[in-house]
Amino acid sequence: MEYPEDLYYSHEHTWVRVSGTRGTVGITNFAQQEMGEILYAELPNEGSPIEQGDVFGTLESSKTVAELFSPVSGEIISVNEDLEEEPSLVNDDPYGKGWLMVLELDDPAELEDLCNSVEYEDFLEKKG
């Protein structure tokens, strides 16, 4: 399945997987395909606060540099340090080993602002 049903998706092509009060954030399969091979990931510092919609880092590919927008607010409790050595994990496994950060969620109600997998696919189709 291209867009797992257990995730919440933003129109900025990030996703969040919620487990209790924590959310793991990454980019969608659509985003990684559009970017091409990811060559470098710049991620935030652990302990930093982030607001929904704020830029939390960048991904660089041979085609472009893309800003990453947080789908939810919270405190960054972990970043994927494996991406320093192997940024292509984002391409290879965007919903697994290619995750970007983990947040302690500030406001779970923000999830209502995001799309489910069907709504995200509809958004991509309309975007064309």
Side-chain angles (χ1 to χ4, degrees):
M1 179 189 313
E2 193 166 12
Y3 301 103
E5 293 177 9
D6 65 330
L7 306 180
Y8 297 89
Y9 300 87
S10 77
H11 288 176
E12 289 77 30
H13 311 294
T14 53
W15 56 262
V16 59
R17 177 181 288 119
V18 177
S19 178
T21 60
R22 293 189 171 179
T24 301
V25 175
I27 68 166
T28 65
N29 194 49
F30 172 83
Q32 71 83 16
Q33 286 176 337
E34 289 286 296
M35 288 190 70
E37 184 184 355
I38 308 290
L39 303 173
Y40 179 73
E42 182 182 331
L43 298 175
N45 295 320
E46 291 177 9
S48 302
I50 188 88
E51 294 294 319
Q52 186 178 42
D54 283 357
V55 173
F56 67 87
T58 57
L59 291 176
E60 190 173 323
S61 73
S62 54
K63 294 182 187 177
T64 187
V65 175
E67 291 186 323
L68 302 167
F69 296 90
S70 185
V72 288
S73 302
E75 181 180 332
I76 299 162
I77 55 174
S78 180
V79 295
N80 190 347
E81 294 177 0
D82 292 344
L83 299 181
E84 287 179 30
E85 298 293 319
E86 206 175 344
S88 63
L89 287 172
V90 175
N91 298 113
D92 299 339
D93 192 7
Y95 302 114
K97 292 179 182 171
W99 63 276
L100 302 172
M101 67 175 177
V102 177
L103 300 173
E104 186 70 37
L105 300 175
D106 280 350
D107 183 5
E110 288 179 340
L111 298 170
E112 295 170 17
D113 299 336
L114 304 174
C115 301
N116 65 31
S117 60
V118 173
E119 292 166 336
Y120 182 69
E121 287 186 51
D122 288 347
F123 167 73
L124 292 179
E125 282 179 29
K126 288 177 184 155
K127 191 176 172 224

